[in-house]
Amino acid sequence: MTPEENERWMIRDCARCGRRASKSAEWSDGPICRTCYDRAMRVRGHCPGCRADRLLPGRDTAGAPICRDCAGISRDFFCDRCGFEGLLLGGRLCERCTLADTLGRLLNDDTGRVVTSLQPLVTALLETDRPKSRLIWLRNPNVVRLLRGLATGTIPLTHDGLHQETPWRTVAHLRDLLMDSGVLPRIDRQLMLYQRWLTERLAVIEDPEHRRCLQHFATWHQMRRLRSKAEKGPLGRSQTNQAKQEIIQAGAFLRPGSPTKAAPSNTPSRPTSTPGIPRSWPPGARPRRSCAGA
């Protein structure tokens, strides 16, 4: 179809919003654009004409929503699988049935069935009030990669397994869904985000000895402390921010040639320290920036 033919046959002034656009339907009140069509597929309630509780895509002479029968709309909107009346997608399936099929393809165990361990996640996703939002989420290639990895076992279905994956925001959202559905045990969110930050921070440290030192400090001092506090109640952002600052300061101390702070000559020198990290050295001393024997 040429642009001229498209303009002649498909472009109309929408009867509902007045916008000039490609029409998606021609109903009793006139041509309907895609935006107004999608909006009409979300209107449900008691039809003022027949009192039936159902989809109300049409409009009466006063502009009130009415059902397709009262509006004289010949097309039906019933899902060919479940019979739900609403927006139909490919194969004349509703959004929820389409979501079920999409999840089934992504999370199958190569026998045509959803991996048993991930079935609670599928159930939780299908119970959402807005399946369309989940269909949009599943268009994200990172989400597809993560779900396929969990289904095939290339990504372990554990917190540690997800901890190694990127991007972290996508992983964090998926982890929340897995915890909400009971697939994974709950862990503190701030603790989880700190672990992600720590992994990225350590990855950019070039000196393997310094990286090992900070990893040792974070594992045996910080994580023990944070986990102990998380058992008593949710961590606050200030607590993990303090842990981040400790890692940053310790990394600065370990870098060759980093300045050491000396107290003013008229003030008694008092060593400072970060828990688990050697104290600052007095002026003139040469610290040994090593974790040997740690």
Side-chain angles (χ1 to χ4, degrees):
M1 182 182 292
T2 66
E4 292 77 12
E5 291 173 331
N6 181 68
E7 175 72 24
R8 182 182 309 126
W9 298 107
M10 300 303 298
I11 305 301
R12 294 289 186 274
D13 292 331
C14 178
R16 299 193 178 180
C17 69
R19 185 169 62 95
R20 188 164 182 79
S22 179
K23 68 175 184 179
S24 289
E26 186 82 36
W27 290 343
S28 56
D29 52 336
I32 308 298
C33 70
R34 168 56 62 180
T35 301
C36 290
Y37 179 89
D38 288 346
R39 186 177 294 122
M41 292 296 103
R42 309 288 177 194
V43 181
R44 310 189 69 83
H46 290 279
C47 175
C50 63
R51 310 307 300 168
D53 186 6
R54 58 184 296 192
L55 182 72
L56 305 177
R59 295 279 182 89
D60 62 15
T61 54
I66 54 177
C67 70
R68 58 174 285 270
D69 293 330
C70 292
I73 299 174
S74 58
R75 178 183 177 185
D76 77 76
F77 308 102
F78 294 100
C79 175
D80 281 356
R81 180 181 298 171
C82 70
F84 177 79
E85 189 179 22
L87 180 66
L88 299 180
L89 302 178
R92 288 186 53 82
L93 297 181
C94 67
E95 293 170 317
R96 202 173 305 277
C97 287
T98 302
L99 177 60
D101 286 354
T102 304
L103 291 170
R105 288 193 299 270
L106 291 175
L107 300 177
N108 78 83
D109 58 2
D110 295 329
T111 66
R113 298 180 179 180
V114 172
V115 177
T116 303
S117 57
L118 291 171
Q119 185 59 55
L121 174 65
V122 173
T123 301
L125 291 174
L126 290 177
E127 289 175 350
T128 181
D129 293 333
R130 299 297 296 270
K132 182 178 181 180
S133 65
R134 292 307 179 192
L135 286 169
I136 294 173
W137 178 62
L138 291 173
R139 294 175 191 169
N140 184 331
N142 287 313
V143 173
V144 172
R145 176 181 58 81
L146 290 168
L147 290 177
R148 285 302 300 150
L150 293 173
T152 59
T154 56
I155 299 176
L157 187 54
T158 62
H159 285 295
D160 287 339
L162 289 175
H163 184 60
Q164 307 302 320
E165 298 300 320
T166 58
W168 72 267
R169 285 185 176 84
T170 303
V171 175
H173 181 63
L174 176 57
R175 191 196 301 260
D176 285 343
L177 292 174
L178 291 168
M179 291 191 294
D180 289 343
S181 60
V183 175
L184 288 180
R186 286 205 168 274
I187 63 172
D188 187 272
R189 182 173 178 81
Q190 291 299 324
L191 181 63
M192 174 188 68
L193 293 176
Y194 173 69
Q195 287 178 298
R196 167 61 61 183
W197 177 89
L198 181 63
T199 298
E200 295 175 350
R201 183 77 184 184
L202 294 177
V204 300
I205 298 176
E206 297 179 356
D207 190 307
E209 187 179 5
H210 293 175
R211 185 166 56 249
R212 184 182 68 83
C213 178
L214 293 174
Q215 180 70 68
H216 181 94
F217 167 61
T219 301
W220 297 106
H221 176 74
Q222 288 188 323
M223 294 306 298
R224 282 184 175 182
R225 182 186 68 201
L226 292 173
R227 286 194 179 104
S228 177
K229 291 181 177 180
E231 290 175 358
K232 301 173 183 177
L235 293 177
R237 187 172 297 178
S238 61
Q239 292 169 300
T240 52
N241 284 343
Q242 177 186 346
K244 291 178 182 179
Q245 192 60 34
E246 289 173 356
I247 291 294
I248 292 171
Q249 291 175 351
F253 177 83
L254 291 171
R255 282 198 296 271
S258 62
T260 56
K261 294 183 179 180
S265 57
N266 61 345
T267 304
S269 176
R270 182 178 181 180
T272 60
S273 67
T274 298
I277 293 294
R279 292 179 178 274
S280 319
W281 292 79
R286 289 179 59 84
R288 182 184 180 190
R289 305 178 193 281
S290 170
C291 289

